[in-house]
Amino acid sequence: MAAACPRPAASPSGTLRVLIVDDSAVTRCVIARIVDAIPQYEVIAAVGSIAQAEAALGKGAADLILLDINLPGRDGLSGLPALFAVAPDARVIVLSGSCAAGSPTALHALSLGAAATLAKPESSPLAGGFAARLTALVGEVMAASPHSIAATMAAAGGSPFDVIAIGASTGGIHAIAPLLRALPDDLDVPILITQHLPASFTDYFAQQLAALARRPVDVAADSLRIQRGRMILAPGDAHIRVVPTIEGAATRLDRTPAVSGCMPSVDPMFESVAEVFGARALAVVLSGMGRDGCRGAERIRATGGVVAVQDQGSSVVWGMPGAIAVSGLASTIGTPEELGAFIARRKRSA
């Protein structure tokens, strides 16, 4: 049921349509007023459950969904896939008191495809500058919409590869999800991931990756074999280095301070991947602050490997991928979905 509060008349055509899903009528009313105050945005409905949200989407498309978690019946996270099924092109911002940055709930929401999360104040929907923060976040999320992203560059070569190494930081969790979903089930190339993340969230993130990638995920350890069909995630307190073995390759943990200052750092992973796999390596750099991964990308290219980076339009922060693109080291630039499709086209032969 729509929030029982008066709102301005619908904006002219060309506006961005917003659906609000929250169990509190008061909160729905407050959020509707915040959205209506943003130029060129229109609230098409404000409802209190996933079932009502599905019904509202069946009557009209939405460009943005503002979703609460604590809902009657199906909670927001459980109902998120159903909303994407009805509105696959909509962007979703999850609003919840349990969505503090870096929290397990926020990570779960992002791994399910939410564009962003924002913690709601417990005392009042308008406390703590919530209106200003929500307004700014809506602008950022919609500006990064995949519909406004540049096309990919022509990729060099077309040969398959033996390993995929992915590096990411701020905004990377959201980017990794659509990339992994775009990979075919029969892709058995081993995947290494270094995501800047606190050590306390490593195990939880590994579980989310396993669900997204539809393959086993291991947290890197000394002498862990790199195997086809599996994924390896860097722990929060060590870099991944790849070393050759009699049977192929394995990981080694390295806690030496990196030039980037990051722990874990993408550079050691890329540099060692270049040494072991050479031209059979594919490096992918997703959204992130700083230049971590640029030195390693240079080594990947020097040994004949391929470097793919996320484009500026879809990146929350175009620091890491941007540094590589500006340096002329990127073979391919695109959205996470486009990078996933690029990998699928060049998958390793059986």
Side-chain angles (χ1 to χ4, degrees):
M1 180 179 298
C5 59
R7 296 190 293 103
S11 302
S13 60
T15 59
L16 292 170
R17 298 154 298 186
V18 182
L19 170 65
I20 298 170
V21 188
D22 196 291
D23 68 329
S24 167
V26 173
T27 301
R28 292 198 299 269
C29 183
V30 170
I31 293 177
R33 290 186 179 277
I34 293 172
V35 172
D36 280 330
I38 306 174
Q40 297 184 326
Y41 281 81
E42 171 193 0
V43 175
I44 59 170
V47 300
S49 69
I50 294 296
Q52 292 173 344
E54 291 177 286
L57 292 170
K59 297 177 181 178
D63 300 296
L64 174 65
I65 300 173
L66 302 179
L67 178 66
D68 186 21
I69 291 180
N70 296 319
L71 300 171
R74 279 178 294 174
D75 64 83
L77 296 186
S78 298
L80 189 52
L83 297 184
F84 278 132
V86 181
D89 295 327
R91 307 288 277 176
V92 175
I93 298 177
V94 174
L95 307 176
S96 172
S98 60
C99 273
S103 68
T105 302
L107 292 175
H108 190 188
L110 295 172
S111 72
L112 290 173
T117 65
L118 181 63
K120 289 192 299 186
E122 296 182 1
S123 56
S124 165
L126 290 176
F130 177 74
R133 289 186 289 122
L134 177 58
T135 299
L137 184 58
V138 166
E140 293 172 6
V141 165
M142 299 312 291
S145 171
H147 299 297
S148 63
I149 295 167
T152 54
M153 294 169 53
S159 59
F161 35 77
D162 290 334
V163 70
I164 301 168
I166 301 174
S169 185
T170 306
I173 292 176
H174 171 60
I176 287 173
L179 186 153
L180 293 179
R181 282 197 293 263
L183 300 182
D185 290 336
D186 61 349
L187 177 74
D188 65 352
V189 180
I191 301 174
L192 310 178
I193 294 183
T194 293
Q195 162 75 52
H196 297 166
L197 197 67
S200 58
F201 294 115
T202 301
D203 290 338
Y204 181 84
F205 186 45
Q207 296 172 20
Q208 299 304 309
L209 286 176
L212 287 168
R214 307 173 300 282
R215 70 193 66 210
V217 176
D218 301 303
V219 176
D222 286 323
S223 302
L224 177 65
R225 285 185 57 201
I226 296 175
Q227 303 179 64
R228 293 176 62 171
R230 300 184 73 89
M231 180 182 295
I232 298 177
L233 174 67
D237 61 352
H239 319 301
I240 288 180
R241 284 198 179 273
V242 177
V243 296
T245 66
I246 296 176
E247 299 177 333
T251 60
R252 178 171 64 82
L253 299 185
D254 180 5
R255 293 180 173 83
T256 304
V259 173
S260 66
C262 300
M263 179 68 77
S265 171
V266 178
D267 282 323
M269 178 177 69
F270 281 179
E271 291 166 354
S272 59
V273 162
E275 293 173 4
V276 175
F277 290 94
R280 306 288 290 184
L282 169 66
V284 180
V285 179
L286 302 175
S287 176
M289 188 177 299
R291 298 178 56 87
D292 187 25
C294 195
R295 291 165 59 96
E298 185 174 3
R299 290 297 305 146
I300 293 282
R301 289 300 303 272
T303 55
V306 172
V307 178
V309 302
Q310 186 174 354
D311 75 298
Q312 185 172 8
S314 66
S315 297
V316 174
V317 180
W318 207 51
M320 288 167 54
I324 292 170
V326 171
S327 299
L329 297 171
S331 306
T332 296
I333 300 176
T335 68
E337 295 88 346
E338 290 168 337
L339 296 181
F342 168 73
I343 294 172
R345 289 195 300 271
R346 298 186 53 179
K347 68 181 181 180
R348 189 180 192 275
S349 303

